[in-house]
Amino acid sequence: MTKNPFPFHGLSNADVELRKKDVSISGKEQSEFIIILKEMVLEPIFILLIASALVYFLLGEFSEAIFLLSAVLLVSTISFFQSFRTRKALSLLQVLTASKTKVIRDNKIIEIASEEIVLGDFLISEEGSVIAADGEIVHSNDFAVNESVLTGESFSQSKSSAKDQNNVFQGTLAVSGLAVYRVTATGDQSRAAQLAKLAKEIKTEKPPLYKQILSFVKSMTIVGLICFLLVLIFYYFQTHKFLDSLLMALTLAMSILPEEIPVAFTTFMALGAWKLSKTGILVKGLNTVETLGAATVICIDKTGTITENKMELAAIYLHKNKELFDKEQIKEQKNLNEVAEYGMWASEPIPFDPMEIALHDHYKKLIPKDKRKDFKMIHEYPLDGQPPMMTHIFENGKGERHIAAKGAPEAIMNVSELTNAEKTEINLKIQSLASQGYRVLGVGKTDLKGNEFPKKQQDFSFTFLGLLAFYDPPKENINKVFKQFYQAGIGVKIITGDNAITTSAIAKQCGFKGAEKTLEGKDLIQMSDEKLLSIVDDVNIYTRMFPEAKLRIINILKQKSHVVAMTGDGVNDSLALKSSHIGIAMGKKGSEVARQAASLILIDDNLVHMVEAIALGRRIYENLKKAIQYIISIHIPIILIVTVPLLLFWKYTNFFSPVHVIFLELIMGPTCSIIFENEPIEANSMKKAPRKLSATFFSFNELSISIIQGLIITASCLGMGYYYMENGYEIAEVRTIIYSTLIFSNIFLTLANRSFYYSIFTTIRYKNALIPLVLSISILILLLSIYFKPIQNIFEFVPLSFTELVYCFVAAFIGVMWIEIFKIMRRKQR
């Protein structure tokens, strides 16, 4: 809430309550419950469980059928909980990222959600914001709007309170200046309502990794279907019992389907986005969470990103007298000089830029009589040109005028009558000020009689008055942030509209690498792609940049196979933000357009959160990788325990039935989606190079260890089973031995796969409160299933002696813990 400087009181709270109405776009949507229920019923594992329960009923084995139906209820409950948890996290993010707008109410400026706007509200729109409702302008400063979203025409339209140009429309973009407008239409009544309906129908592109996972699961589903038919036919010709054959085929199909993988992916990404929001980062799409850990280059602005964006007047140079006033001398001044005065007249009457605020404050402090109320702006030239400048024309009731210009010193010098010697002298002053890290503006004035103004401000002939230097100090933690980026193998590039000398000076103060090499936007845009590709990795500072130049550098970096993160806050950053892999908008000083174009929003504009985001992105990816490798490792023995005895014509073949498989699924599911999701980041994660975005979990190189783990666990389980079978034990005891060995293997696999680099003695010290809880439950389930009669009967188990249980434990330990030797070898290689 801020003080209202405008002559509009706005609506009172009572008025707002009276005018409130439903402005949302109509359309009945399905409830969350129905959506989640549909997803559960269509899950392949759900269909297989129902089919298996039906077969048990037909076989007259009612206890197994009832158990499976109970399992259906349990699996569905878990699935519902995970889906609800995911959707809740995403809905919270949608609320946090909802667009907001400034409104005048009860003579105060407050920020509200766009949905809370009512007819008659006075809304404030600044450069870079999206018009939140249809309305009529009642006050404006240098205001222009891009209406291409409605008209298709990309050029901007000047807007003011004049009758023929005072209408603004919801969804259009303010590209310059400031305006206050009274709301005339919202929701379904606005011109943008139809566009909103169309936008809602656009389907979001799925993340690349999610596509890989779906492709893998679909492939395994096809394999499962083929195996189902082969086993059904094979077993039927052996036994001539169709229902038994169907049950065996269903068991194999259930063991092959890795349905935990897509569930784990969605859970990891959604909860990751939610956790990022708790650290001050809003994520607008799951794709960003996946991409974060792969970022190789981050492109950042100077002002407000590496600096405080707290502009203070640091020096004034008077060209006429060849005088330079430093910061201390400015504080001691009693009279306002011409450079500072005309710098103020070249600013907005109601300033919102930090430099313009500093100039207004300086004027108010030193002027004996404030003339601002006596003068009215009669014409304005918005910021344009390369390098840019702006010009304002003020006039009072007596016809006296102030025609003032400010902008890049080069721009003001180009339109001023100066000798070469004067230009040389001014350039030396600019370099001297810029080398101290100051941002330097040139100031000029001119005279004009009559009301025929030139079409372009560059057509005026100005008198060069002098220079204004502003200092924006670096943020306290920026040195540490750069160091962390460099340690993580991430390159940093500064892309700014400021000049090279100032930017290099600030960069050197911040511990920035490569501050010596710079490239200007106008030179960059003229380079060939081949030339730019050859130097882009070596040049780290890009100055005097404009939207097209920013976009080009982002695309060139992408051509070099970089995964690019880009920070921005203004309209001129929106193209680059949208084009980058990870667009990062500033939450405080960022424009609405920048926030809409970006995929991440830094709530407090603090770049340190990007380090946290990248670390979290790497943690999520690593933990998801561990979870998927765990799933594959533990699925292989389940599949082979079902098929190998059958294919090798063992004495006993049907060790596992759907009851056993679903029971194992119930143990494995929480392990992969709860334990691994909660794992902390590994110690070396932020000290190694980023992964390639094209990397996949499903290449042979990535899966080879998981496959070997699965095969050795299979050998342990079936080896134990074969030994006891050949020594005359009954199938029930052999089944119990195999099952116990597999459960112990699952426990060891969970502990071993917490890291594929560090030993279990290191990972055991990781903080994860869920590890002892879930593993204790697994052991309890094992003991209940082989020693508690009711469960024992359902699974057709028999009690094991202590010695037999120890043998299972040892076999599982050997079958899994060989990976620790592999880890030792890997650490020695590195």
Side-chain angles (χ1 to χ4, degrees):
M1 187 183 295
T2 56
K3 189 178 177 182
N4 178 24
F6 303 104
F8 311 104
H9 187 278
L11 299 177
S12 67
N13 290 331
D15 292 332
V16 172
E17 290 302 318
L18 285 173
R19 300 184 186 206
K20 270 186 178 177
K21 65 177 185 176
D22 184 14
V23 295
S24 61
I25 297 170
S26 59
K28 194 175 180 181
E29 294 185 356
Q30 288 185 328
S31 69
E32 290 285 305
F33 179 82
I34 298 297
I35 293 169
I36 296 173
L37 191 64
K38 277 184 178 179
E39 289 175 353
M40 287 193 308
V41 171
L42 295 174
E43 280 288 332
I45 195 69
F46 182 91
I47 296 166
L48 288 173
L49 283 170
I50 295 295
S52 301
L54 184 61
V55 172
Y56 274 124
F57 272 120
L58 292 173
L59 288 169
E61 296 178 5
F62 298 113
S63 59
E64 285 83 352
I66 291 168
F67 174 81
L68 273 187
L69 289 175
S70 301
V72 169
L73 181 63
L74 184 57
V75 168
S76 301
T77 303
I78 292 170
S79 179
F80 184 90
F81 172 75
Q82 285 181 319
S83 298
F84 180 76
R85 195 181 178 200
T86 300
R87 288 176 182 275
K88 186 178 179 183
L90 292 176
S91 64
L92 282 170
L93 291 172
Q94 285 176 350
V95 170
L96 290 169
T97 56
S99 60
K100 294 185 177 181
T101 189
K102 290 180 180 178
V103 61
I104 302 171
R105 285 183 181 170
D106 278 329
N107 206 29
K108 294 182 182 69
I109 296 175
I110 61 172
E111 197 170 49
I112 62 171
S114 297
E115 292 77 18
E116 296 174 20
I117 297 168
V118 297
L119 290 176
D121 260 331
F122 286 85
L123 304 184
I124 301 170
S125 180
E126 298 172 341
E127 177 182 326
S129 64
V130 174
I131 304 297
D134 291 3
E136 293 178 348
I137 293 175
V138 293
H139 172 86
S140 66
N141 290 336
D142 191 21
F143 194 62
V145 178
N146 184 314
E147 297 182 337
S148 59
V149 69
L150 296 176
T151 64
E153 297 173 350
S154 59
F155 52 85
S156 59
Q157 301 277 345
S158 292
K159 298 282 183 177
S160 70
S161 54
K163 241 184 181 180
D164 58 339
Q165 55 182 18
N166 67 339
N167 291 318
V168 289
F169 303 102
Q170 183 179 335
T172 57
L173 165 65
V175 293
S176 68
L178 174 146
V180 179
Y181 59 98
R182 185 191 296 109
V183 175
T184 57
T186 61
D188 288 339
Q189 304 303 313
S190 71
R191 285 199 189 183
Q194 292 304 117
L195 289 173
K197 286 180 182 176
L198 291 173
K200 210 169 186 182
E201 294 170 5
I202 297 172
K203 292 185 177 178
T204 307
E205 184 73 9
K206 296 292 184 185
L209 185 56
Y210 188 71
K211 289 179 180 178
Q212 294 170 12
I213 286 171
L214 283 185
S215 176
F216 178 76
V217 173
K218 284 176 183 176
S219 301
M220 294 305 293
T221 304
I222 293 168
V223 170
L225 181 61
I226 293 168
C227 291
F228 169 82
L229 294 172
L230 290 174
V231 169
L232 178 65
I233 295 166
F234 184 81
Y235 199 75
Y236 178 72
F237 276 107
Q238 271 194 322
T239 62
H240 298 287
K241 294 177 182 178
F242 178 74
L243 289 177
D244 287 345
S245 303
L246 182 60
L247 204 58
M248 178 65 75
L250 284 169
T251 304
L252 180 61
M254 286 172 64
S255 67
I256 289 173
L257 276 179
E259 76 287 340
E260 306 97 332
I261 293 179
V263 174
F265 175 83
T266 309
T267 303
F268 275 53
M269 296 300 159
L271 292 180
W274 180 74
K275 285 176 181 176
L276 281 169
S277 73
K278 306 293 276 185
T279 65
I281 305 160
L282 298 183
V283 181
K284 294 169 65 180
L286 297 187
N287 194 15
T288 308
V289 181
E290 177 194 330
T291 311
L292 271 172
T296 59
V297 171
I298 181 165
C299 301
I300 61 175
D301 188 19
K302 178 180 74 69
T303 306
T305 303
I306 65 175
T307 63
E308 294 283 359
N309 198 24
K310 294 177 181 176
M311 288 291 185
E312 52 186 38
L313 199 53
I316 302 174
Y317 172 67
L318 278 64
H319 170 60
K320 185 178 180 180
N321 302 330
K322 307 292 188 290
E323 286 184 279
L324 178 68
F325 299 96
D326 62 22
K327 189 176 177 180
E328 293 304 317
Q329 290 171 319
I330 290 171
K331 286 181 180 178
E332 294 171 1
Q333 280 184 335
K334 302 296 183 185
N335 299 312
L336 184 72
N337 59 58
E338 196 176 32
V339 179
E341 182 180 3
Y342 273 85
M344 186 281 297
W345 289 119
S347 302
E348 295 295 338
I350 300 176
F352 50 89
D353 177 83
M355 288 187 291
E356 294 189 343
I357 291 171
L359 287 170
H360 272 269
D361 289 344
H362 183 73
Y363 173 88
K364 186 166 58 176
K365 179 183 173 184
L366 295 182
I367 196 75
K369 181 186 175 185
D370 194 338
K371 300 178 183 177
R372 289 178 296 180
K373 291 181 180 179
D374 302 331
F375 283 80
K376 182 182 179 183
M377 188 188 293
I378 60 170
H379 195 77
E380 56 186 328
Y381 296 92
L383 193 70
D384 75 342
Q386 294 178 14
M389 62 177 286
M390 64 192 297
T391 303
H392 289 165
I393 303 176
F394 285 86
E395 187 176 85
N396 66 7
K398 299 176 182 178
E400 295 172 345
R401 285 180 177 172
H402 293 302
I403 305 178
K406 67 175 171 62
E410 307 97 301
I412 305 299
M413 288 165 66
N414 289 340
V415 294
S416 300
E417 296 177 356
L418 295 168
T419 65
N420 289 334
E422 287 176 317
K423 287 181 180 179
T424 301
E425 180 194 349
I426 294 167
N427 278 323
L428 287 172
K429 291 295 179 187
I430 293 169
Q431 289 178 18
S432 173
L433 292 168
S435 65
Q436 299 173 63
Y438 296 161
R439 185 168 183 183
V440 186
L441 295 180
V443 179
K445 72 171 185 177
T446 190
D447 294 314
L448 180 71
K449 303 297 181 185
N451 293 319
E452 291 295 323
F453 305 123
K455 285 188 176 181
K456 295 196 307 177
Q457 60 187 322
Q458 288 83 0
D459 293 335
F460 280 109
S461 178
F462 285 94
T463 299
F464 188 87
L465 295 178
L467 302 171
L468 296 168
F470 299 85
Y471 185 58
D472 185 10
K475 291 183 176 177
E476 287 183 12
N477 63 350
I478 198 67
N479 292 61
K480 183 180 177 183
V481 171
F482 283 150
K483 186 177 179 181
Q484 288 172 321
F485 279 136
Y486 295 139
Q487 281 181 341
I490 300 169
V492 186
K493 297 187 183 294
I494 297 175
I495 299 180
T496 179
D498 213 339
N499 66 55
I501 301 171
T502 301
T503 306
S504 291
I506 290 289
K508 287 173 183 175
Q509 294 173 32
C510 300
F512 182 83
K513 291 182 179 179
E516 299 78 18
K517 290 185 179 179
T518 65
L519 181 64
E520 281 200 9
K522 61 182 177 60
D523 299 322
L524 180 149
I525 214 75
Q526 292 172 1
M527 280 186 182
S528 65
D529 281 357
E530 292 75 16
K531 175 66 175 174
L532 198 50
L533 281 166
S534 68
I535 66 167
V536 71
D537 284 329
D538 295 324
V539 178
N540 289 333
I541 294 181
Y542 298 85
T543 60
R544 294 293 188 218
M545 295 289 278
F546 42 92
E548 295 79 9
K550 291 181 182 183
L551 179 62
R552 189 168 186 222
I553 200 66
I554 295 298
N555 288 333
I556 287 291
L557 286 166
K558 287 164 72 176
Q559 283 183 47
K560 290 280 283 187
S561 300
H562 283 293
V563 178
V564 185
M566 163 81 188
T567 69
D569 57 13
V571 180
N572 61 349
D573 297 317
S574 58
L575 290 174
L577 287 170
K578 197 75 175 176
S579 179
S580 64
H581 295 99
I582 308 166
I584 307 152
M586 299 298 155
K588 282 185 177 178
K589 70 183 182 70
S591 66
E592 185 64 26
V593 167
R595 289 196 288 265
Q596 288 195 6
S599 48
L600 276 181
I601 300 172
L602 297 184
I603 296 173
D604 62 359
D605 297 2
N606 194 340
L607 198 63
V608 73
H609 293 315
M610 268 313 296
V611 178
E612 296 167 3
I614 289 168
L616 185 58
R618 291 189 180 187
R619 183 181 77 82
I620 289 168
Y621 184 86
E622 288 169 356
N623 288 348
L624 182 60
K625 180 179 175 180
K626 292 171 189 175
I628 289 175
Q629 289 178 325
Y630 159 83
I631 290 166
I632 290 168
S633 294
I634 205 65
H635 262 274
I636 289 171
I638 298 173
I639 296 166
L640 295 180
I641 288 167
V642 173
T643 54
V644 168
L646 185 66
L647 297 175
L648 297 181
F649 301 100
W650 281 18
K651 178 181 173 182
Y652 306 134
T653 53
N654 54 338
F655 290 119
F656 285 174
S657 65
V659 170
H660 301 101
V661 174
I662 188 56
F663 203 62
L664 289 164
E665 297 275 357
L666 289 172
I667 294 171
M668 287 161 15
T671 302
C672 68
S673 62
I674 296 177
I675 284 183
F676 286 112
E677 193 280 328
N678 201 48
E679 282 287 270
I681 189 169
E682 291 200 31
N684 65 342
S685 187
M686 286 297 283
K687 294 181 180 178
K688 58 185 180 184
R691 66 177 174 89
K692 291 184 178 179
L693 193 59
S694 58
T696 173
F697 295 141
F698 303 107
S699 65
F700 179 76
N701 187 47
E702 290 288 351
L703 293 183
S704 56
I705 291 297
S706 299
I707 293 169
I708 293 168
Q709 280 184 307
L711 292 174
I712 295 177
I713 291 170
T714 304
S716 298
C717 295
L718 286 181
M720 289 288 290
Y722 188 79
Y723 173 81
Y724 279 91
M725 182 179 70
E726 288 298 301
N727 281 276
Y729 284 78
E730 294 297 321
I731 186 171
E733 185 152 18
V734 176
R735 178 184 293 118
T736 311
I737 290 287
I738 292 173
Y739 173 83
S740 301
T741 307
L742 185 57
I743 294 294
F744 282 131
S745 298
N746 178 69
I747 292 169
F748 288 127
L749 186 69
T750 304
L751 294 172
N753 281 23
R754 294 180 75 189
S755 175
F756 284 95
Y757 181 80
Y758 292 110
S759 77
I760 193 171
F761 299 108
T762 300
T763 59
I764 203 74
R765 296 195 296 270
Y766 288 178
K767 290 181 180 178
N768 188 341
L770 294 174
I771 287 279
L773 176 65
V774 174
L775 296 188
S776 298
I777 291 171
S778 297
I779 293 170
L780 180 63
I781 288 171
L782 170 64
L783 296 175
L784 286 173
S785 61
I786 59 179
Y787 295 113
F788 184 57
K789 198 74 174 175
I791 302 177
Q792 186 188 102
N793 291 339
I794 292 173
F795 290 116
E796 299 182 60
F797 288 156
V798 295
L800 297 180
S801 68
F802 178 74
T803 304
E804 288 169 335
L805 207 58
V806 169
Y807 287 159
C808 294
F809 183 89
V810 172
F813 182 87
I814 295 169
V816 174
M817 286 305 172
W818 62 268
I819 191 75
E820 294 300 318
I821 299 170
F822 170 79
K823 290 180 189 177
I824 291 169
M825 293 168 62
R826 175 174 279 189
R827 288 196 297 275
K828 282 184 177 179
Q829 284 178 350
R830 294 192 181 180

